[in-house]
Each structure stands twice: as C-alpha cells, then as structure tokens.
Amino acid sequence: MNKLRPLLFAALLISLFSCEKEYSTENSGNTDNEFIVGIDCRISKIVYIDTAGTAAGGTGTGLGSIESEINNQDIDTLINVYDSLSATLEFYLKPVYRNDSIYINADEYFIIDANKRILKMHGLLDPTDPLSLQFDVLYAYNATGYLVTKTYYLTITPTIPYLKIDYTYAGAGNLTRMTAVNLPGGDLHMDADLTYYSLTVPKRFIYIFPDEINYAQFTQFFNFGSRNFNAVKDMKVRNYDPGNVVRDSIVSTFSNYRMSNDTYILSVQMGGDDQPSIPALAGKLNFKYHCR
C-alpha cells in the first residue's frame, strides 16, 4: 500500500496543475516543466490573457505575447510582439551586436559593459524620422548593482541634461519610488510609487522601471542590473502637466502569483490599468524562461 502513495500523489499533482494552465498557442514550442524551471534562467516570453469577466485564474481570451529568442551564449537574437486578436506581428526586431553596442536600427543603439549591462542608449526623439533630434541616456548603478539614475541629454548639447530619472529602493532591494524631473526647471514629468509582497521572493522576475515607455520591448530582455527582491504588489504612476499638476494616473495591482518549486514566477494576475512600461496588457500574465 505504501508503494502506491508516491504514484497517487504525483498523479494528484499533475491533475491539479493541468487545470491551471492557460498558455496561449502563439510563439509555442516551449515545454518548461511546471515544477522545476532550471538553473540560471531568465524570462524569454510573456503571454497575456484577458480574464475580465471570469473568475480569477479562469481561462480567457489570448491577447498576445512578447518573446525573445535567446541563443546558447545567452544573447537575444530576435524580439517580437504578437497580437493574438488580429493574428499579426506588431513588432519584429533582430538586434545587431557590434563590439560593445547593440543596434536596434541604423540610428538607435545601446552600449553595454563587459557583463552586458546597459550603460548608455542613443536614440531619436522621433524614431520614424531619421532627421529627428538625437538624444543619449546615461545609466548609473549603485554598489549593489541597482539602476539608480537615468540622465537624458540632447546629442547637440551633450553637457546639458533635459530629463533626470531617480529610482529609490527600500528593504532588501525593492524599487519603491520613481521620479522623472524636467530640467533645468525642476518640474515633475512623472512619478510612481510601488509596494511588494514581503513573503514572495522570486528569481529573476520582471524589471519594473515605470518611466520606460518608448523602449519597453527591450526592458525585460537586456541587462539593467539587479532586479527587485520581492514580487510587486501594486504600482501607481502619475503624469504631470507644467507646474506639477497631475494630468492622469495609471494604477495596477498584481495578485494570484503562481511560482515553480525553484521560485520562478509562472503566472500573475495584473489587474487595473495597462502599464506602458510593462510590455503586456492587463490580465493574466504567463511567463516562460530560457536557461543556460
């Protein structure tokens, strides 16, 4: 009788977890184990599902996905965004690597250090116009590897910053506050506040930089230093008009985390508003991983 117990227990676990799967079919092919993801893994795909009007965790309509193809050298070779509702690719990019640079097109690129951590970004104010004003972003990290400031300069005035982003961390290493200030006047451009679940400690979960709107497709796949220690609970982002007048606010909550036995997040319910800085729509977010 005792010999049957492990088999019965395994069968029960398989039955329970199979009822929870909601993976979308686009960009399919990943067969990650539900219990053990692996050693030294990072997010390679986020699938987002509309669960509005259904019970929490219930099956809804697939909205889309964002995915990076990662080779055996841990390099992102292709990033694409797929719209499930229209069955079309919204975004498709093959980064080009040249020495310490990652080109996303002929005019825009990232500069990395020896550990592939982002140090600088060069872009266009209007990416659709090659003659647009160019800008540079400098990234600064603290001693424990967390991104603490981003400073924006127009390339034509490389010593005069026009926007500064500050990130404040608390506890074991959680981003709790972000401020984006227009320079030189000092008016707020935007700010954000975040809270976390103190008992949920995931491995290499999503980066959250609430100000990153225009290049959010790259945030989860490139190296921007240390990640938050705990799982995010809620975030509120405010945009401002001149004079520090709040124009609008974007509020999202995160609940129903599902974690593998080796503490990678398999899914989470993102409620409330879409966050432009997170490359996924509100709903249930499913995660897949690439392991070295």
Side-chain angles (χ1 to χ4, degrees):
M1 184 70 176
N2 289 338
K3 292 181 179 179
L4 293 177
R5 286 180 181 173
L7 294 175
L8 291 173
F9 181 66
L12 177 60
L13 283 177
I14 292 170
S15 174
L16 288 172
F17 277 89
S18 64
C19 294
E20 293 180 349
K21 290 184 180 179
E22 294 185 8
Y23 295 120
S24 180
T25 57
E26 70 273 2
N27 294 329
S28 61
N30 190 315
T31 57
D32 287 345
N33 188 293
E34 286 283 302
F35 304 101
I36 300 295
V37 172
I39 299 173
D40 194 8
C41 306
R42 63 184 177 98
I43 291 170
S44 62
K45 180 179 179 182
I46 307 173
V47 178
Y48 29 103
I49 297 169
D50 182 9
T51 55
T54 66
T59 301
T61 301
L63 298 175
S65 67
I66 180 169
E67 179 179 28
S68 175
E69 293 183 5
I70 304 170
N71 66 17
N72 57 11
Q73 296 179 319
D74 197 40
I75 293 174
D76 300 273
T77 60
L78 171 66
I79 298 172
N80 69 72
V81 178
Y82 185 85
D83 184 336
S84 297
L85 297 180
S86 63
T88 58
L89 280 173
E90 289 187 334
F91 180 87
Y92 181 92
L93 175 75
K94 289 186 174 182
V96 175
Y97 295 79
R98 295 176 184 166
N99 299 320
D100 63 350
S101 301
I102 307 173
Y103 282 84
I104 57 179
N105 57 50
D107 302 300
E108 299 181 290
Y109 56 86
F110 292 91
I111 302 293
I112 59 176
D113 64 15
N115 296 314
K116 302 179 184 177
R117 188 172 64 177
I118 300 297
L119 297 178
K120 179 180 176 180
M121 192 263 174
H122 181 82
L124 300 173
L125 288 182
D126 181 0
T128 65
D129 180 6
L131 300 179
S132 170
L133 285 175
Q134 303 174 23
F135 68 90
D136 294 291
V137 188
L138 301 183
Y139 298 77
Y141 300 84
N142 64 16
T144 54
Y146 287 93
L147 180 60
V148 289
T149 62
K150 292 193 318 197
T151 309
Y152 287 72
Y153 302 81
L154 290 176
T155 306
I156 59 174
T157 54
T159 62
I160 305 174
Y162 70 88
L163 181 68
K164 186 168 185 271
I165 315 296
D166 288 295
Y167 301 110
T168 301
Y169 297 85
N174 293 318
L175 175 64
T176 56
R177 174 113 178 119
M178 179 280 297
T179 57
V181 176
N182 289 311
L183 301 173
D187 278 357
L188 279 170
H189 175 67
M190 62 191 305
D191 67 7
D193 294 292
L194 303 93
T195 65
Y196 296 81
Y197 291 99
S198 61
L199 299 180
T200 305
V201 184
K203 290 180 183 175
R204 300 192 76 177
F205 193 41
I206 57 174
Y207 281 118
I208 299 178
F209 301 119
D211 61 288
E212 191 55 78
I213 296 173
N214 295 323
Y215 297 92
Q217 300 96 330
F218 307 103
T219 304
Q220 302 310 320
F221 306 126
F222 292 170
N223 184 348
F224 293 92
S226 301
R227 297 170 185 263
N228 291 313
F229 184 77
N230 294 108
V232 62
K233 183 177 183 180
D234 58 59
M235 61 186 295
K236 183 174 184 178
V237 182
R238 291 164 291 266
N239 294 292
Y240 290 83
D241 287 327
N244 294 337
V245 177
V246 176
R247 180 171 70 251
D248 57 45
S249 62
I250 306 171
V251 182
S252 301
T253 59
F254 299 81
S255 61
N256 298 318
Y257 276 97
R258 187 161 62 94
M259 185 183 288
S260 69
N261 284 352
D262 50 352
T263 69
Y264 291 93
I265 298 299
L266 300 176
S267 65
V268 65
Q269 185 76 26
M270 178 177 167
D273 299 320
D274 298 333
Q275 289 288 344
S277 62
I278 296 177
L281 302 178
K284 184 171 183 179
L285 311 185
N286 288 324
F287 300 91
K288 293 189 177 181
Y289 293 83
H290 167 84
C291 303
R292 289 191 181 187

